[in-house]
């Protein structure tokens, strides 16, 4: 029994790592006032990019760097559409997810099913790094001027604009940073957790990362608990198939996601702790 519990914790930590990276990035993007539903698309682009470069060069760390760039590129497109063009953030995010899934499937055909020759060394160290990163991002968000600016851009953009802060630039940086984090999360899947490339290998993890950001009330430290909880649920959905039919077990993480979103929402549909200007394009001079 103790071995079973320990194994669940270890596997939960392993799968929780990419979830945490993506969730931390979404926390910062949404704290600045921009919803990005394209996390799934950025993660799958990161997974493909990391695997392709790692397989070509034999260096998975370079693959993770490219994954960050791929995620950031997708987020930059989303930022341009929603911040500069002021398009609907939800529609743009959904389009980004479809773009990422389609593009990675098209480009990844020649890499399908190949095992990775060189995997990421010290996988557990990457998990520890994600924990340290969560603490660092929490400190930056609540105890530095930059963190105050990010939070203000999401709470009262007009007020922070009067102080000479470029709200659009702050949001751009936060969204692109979130994309890079999602890309690294996806890259970790293909060069460490499951060192291979298969179409759609993120399998809904991006949506769960968004739910974790909400579940954590947009707090980086709370996101740690959410990420590893969902990681453990994913592991159990496979582990318990010996005793229970696989279909309801495979639905378990997603069903729990829906329950979390429902439990954290206020009447009228507004989530507790949500930034006041979340999802609202900022137009200078308008209130």
């Amino acid at each position: 029994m103790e071995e079973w519990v320990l194994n669940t914790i270890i596997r939960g930590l392993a799968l929780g790592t990419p979830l945490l990276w993506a969730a931390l990035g979404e926390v910062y993007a949404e704290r600045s006032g921009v919803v990005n539903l394209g996390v799934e698309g950025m993660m799958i682009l990161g997974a493909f990019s990391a695997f392709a470069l790692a397989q070509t060069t034999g260096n998975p760390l370079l693959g993770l760097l490219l994954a960050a760039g791929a995620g950031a590129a997708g987020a930059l497109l989303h930022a341009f559409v929603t911040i500069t063009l002021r398009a609907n953030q939800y529609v743009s995010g959904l389009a980004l997810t479809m773009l990422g899934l389609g593009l990675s499937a098209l480009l990844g055909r020649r890499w399908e099913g190949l095992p990775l020759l060189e995997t990421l060394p010290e996988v557990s160290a990457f998990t520890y790094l994600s924990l340290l990163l969560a603490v660092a991002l929490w400190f930056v968000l609540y105890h530095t001027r930059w963190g105050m600016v990010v939070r203000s851009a999401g709470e009262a953009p007009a007020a922070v604009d009067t102080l000479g802060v470029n709200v659009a630039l702050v949001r751009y940086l936060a969204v692109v940073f979130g994309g890079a984090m999602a890309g690294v999360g996806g890259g970790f899947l293909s060069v460490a957790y499951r060192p291979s490339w298969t179409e759609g290998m993120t399998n809904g993890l991006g949506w769960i990362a968004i739910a974790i950001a909400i579940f954590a009330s947009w707090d980086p430290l709370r996101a740690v608990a959410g990420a590893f909880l969902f990681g453990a649920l994913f592991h159990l959905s496979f582990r318990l198939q010996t005793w229970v039919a696989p279909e309801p077990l495979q639905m378990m993480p997603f069903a729990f996601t829906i329950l979390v979103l429902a439990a954290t929402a206020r009447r009228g549909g507004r989530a507790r702790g949500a930034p006041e200007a979340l999802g609202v394009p900022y137009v200078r001079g308008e209130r």
Side-chain angles (χ1 to χ4, degrees):
M1 182 64 179
E2 291 181 359
E3 181 181 351
W4 189 85
V5 172
L6 180 61
N7 189 49
T8 299
I9 293 174
I10 292 173
R11 300 302 294 178
L13 287 170
L15 186 54
T17 298
L19 282 172
L20 181 57
W21 279 75
L24 290 173
E26 185 66 8
V27 165
Y28 263 69
E30 295 197 7
R31 278 287 191 172
S32 74
V34 180
V35 176
N36 189 352
L37 299 184
V39 177
E40 180 83 5
M42 296 183 296
M43 287 187 75
I44 195 68
L45 286 174
F48 165 71
S49 302
F51 179 83
L53 187 59
Q55 187 76 314
T56 302
T57 64
N59 191 330
L61 292 177
L62 281 180
L64 287 179
L65 288 177
L66 182 60
L76 181 62
L77 176 61
H78 177 68
F80 174 74
V81 171
T82 58
I83 299 172
T84 300
L85 301 183
R86 303 189 187 96
N88 186 287
Q89 296 179 8
Y90 300 93
V91 174
S92 175
L94 290 172
L96 178 56
T97 286
M98 290 188 288
L99 174 64
L101 290 170
L103 186 61
S104 63
L106 176 65
L107 298 177
R109 288 177 180 173
R110 59 168 293 201
W111 307 97
E112 188 81 26
L114 295 178
L116 189 64
L117 301 179
E118 293 289 337
T119 60
L120 187 69
E122 298 295 335
V123 173
S124 60
F126 197 80
T127 298
Y128 298 141
L129 176 61
S130 69
L131 296 174
L132 292 174
L133 183 63
V135 173
L137 291 176
W138 171 84
F139 181 84
V140 169
L141 192 62
Y142 291 109
H143 298 282
T144 67
R145 182 181 182 278
W146 168 246
M148 181 180 68
V149 168
V150 171
R151 288 184 287 119
S152 298
E155 294 288 350
V160 76
D161 189 14
T162 61
L163 299 176
V165 175
N166 188 327
V167 175
L169 178 60
V170 172
R171 289 185 169 183
Y172 258 94
L173 292 175
V175 171
V176 171
F177 171 74
M181 293 285 287
V184 172
F188 178 83
L189 286 173
S190 62
V191 302
Y193 183 78
R194 190 167 59 223
S196 62
W197 162 254
T198 55
E199 182 181 339
M201 67 182 300
T202 49
N203 193 30
L205 293 180
W207 297 106
I208 292 179
I210 296 171
I212 289 171
I214 300 172
F215 170 71
S217 299
W218 296 271
D219 184 285
L221 289 185
R222 293 178 182 175
V224 173
F228 295 129
L229 171 62
F230 281 102
L233 285 173
F234 260 100
H235 171 67
L236 289 174
S237 70
F238 293 97
R239 187 70 181 267
L240 296 177
Q241 289 184 17
T242 305
W243 302 281
V244 184
E247 289 78 10
L249 288 173
Q250 291 170 2
M251 291 173 57
M252 184 169 62
F254 302 99
F256 196 73
T257 299
I258 295 173
L259 290 175
V260 165
L261 292 176
T264 55
R266 289 180 179 175
R267 292 178 181 177
R270 185 170 181 79
R272 286 186 173 89
E276 288 294 327
L278 181 61
V280 181
Y282 175 65
V283 181
R284 194 170 194 179
E286 290 187 1
R287 293 187 179 276

